[in-house]
Amino acid sequence: MEFNLTDLLSNDGMNKKISTDVSIKQFNFGGITYRIDDIIHIDLELTNLGHRKFNLEGLVKGTLKIPCDRCMEEVDYKIETNFSKDINFEDVNEEKVQYIDGYNLDLEKLALNELIIDLPMKVLCSDTCKGICNQCGANLNKVTCSCDNSDIDPRLAVFKDLFKEF
């Protein structure tokens, strides 16, 4: 969804408010696919600062499905991020500001950009998540496997067989 900025840029001091839903169903970042089951909502306030500059303040909120960092089960993660940006149209290029193309503001790209910036470093399904077995890959929250899970430093694993002889 694009919003044309021509009217805003031609009137110094003009203020425009936008409140809409954007249709992002999923996105990939860092080798992980993040799904979005519900809608992503964006509230924006654009203000012309004069001299082809404007201020963009907003809020992006929604619920992401993020895989747990230990067991890979999907976790509902509610995200709500505020942002404020000053944009100078004399200095806008695609490498710097990916969500502006000509005089159009791409609301989906803006929302996606803000979601990626605000992604958590680590997500767990619970504080007591046991993760997955490093031998068979079973989810240890659901099943108990019979694998040998003794923690042995792989650099010292060759000595393990030495002690079996005694």
Side-chain angles (χ1 to χ4, degrees), residues 62-107:
T63 304
L64 304 178
K65 295 277 191 184
I66 300 178
C68 173
D69 284 326
R70 290 186 188 157
C71 68
M72 300 304 292
E73 291 289 322
E74 282 191 336
V75 177
D76 286 340
Y77 182 80
K78 292 198 181 298
I79 194 163
E80 190 168 311
T81 180
N82 290 303
F83 58 93
S84 179
K85 302 174 183 305
D86 287 334
I87 299 180
N88 183 351
F89 256 85
E90 301 296 328
D91 197 26
V92 168
N93 61 40
E94 267 188 48
E95 294 162 11
K96 254 183 155 176
V97 187
Q98 295 92 9
Y99 44 86
I100 293 182
D101 183 23
Y103 289 105
N104 292 320
L105 173 66
D106 189 328
L107 298 176

Side-chain angles (χ1 to χ4, degrees), residues 42-146:
I42 186 167
D43 291 318
L44 290 176
E45 184 171 353
L46 300 116
T47 306
N48 185 331
L49 303 174
H51 307 290
R52 298 183 48 85
K53 296 178 187 173
F54 70 95
N55 177 267
L56 178 65
E57 289 190 24
L59 168 75
V60 176
K61 60 183 174 180
T63 304
L64 304 178
K65 295 277 191 184
I66 300 178
C68 173
D69 284 326
R70 290 186 188 157
C71 68
M72 300 304 292
E73 291 289 322
E74 282 191 336
V75 177
D76 286 340
Y77 182 80
K78 292 198 181 298
I79 194 163
E80 190 168 311
T81 180
N82 290 303
F83 58 93
S84 179
K85 302 174 183 305
D86 287 334
I87 299 180
N88 183 351
F89 256 85
E90 301 296 328
D91 197 26
V92 168
N93 61 40
E94 267 188 48
E95 294 162 11
K96 254 183 155 176
V97 187
Q98 295 92 9
Y99 44 86
I100 293 182
D101 183 23
Y103 289 105
N104 292 320
L105 173 66
D106 189 328
L107 298 176
E108 288 180 12
K109 285 183 182 178
L110 174 64
L112 185 59
N113 186 52
E114 295 305 318
L115 288 175
I116 289 172
I117 288 172
D118 209 41
L119 283 174
M121 294 295 282
K122 186 171 197 156
V123 173
L124 298 177
C125 59
S126 74
D127 290 337
T128 59
C129 179
K130 298 176 184 175
I132 58 174
C133 174
N134 60 5
Q135 306 267 322
C136 68
N139 184 341
L140 298 175
N141 297 314
K142 295 180 179 179
V143 296
T144 303
C145 67
S146 58

Side-chain angles (χ1 to χ4, degrees), residues 5-15 47-50 53:
L5 299 169
T6 306
D7 288 341
L8 181 75
L9 287 170
S10 61
N11 297 309
D12 288 355
M14 184 176 181
N15 189 307
T47 306
N48 185 331
L49 303 174
K53 296 178 187 173

Side-chain angles (χ1 to χ4, degrees), residues 148 150 152 156-165:
D148 180 19
S150 55
I152 297 177
L156 302 175
V158 292
F159 295 115
K160 177 180 162 187
D161 293 332
L162 269 173
F163 294 114
K164 285 184 181 176
E165 295 175 9

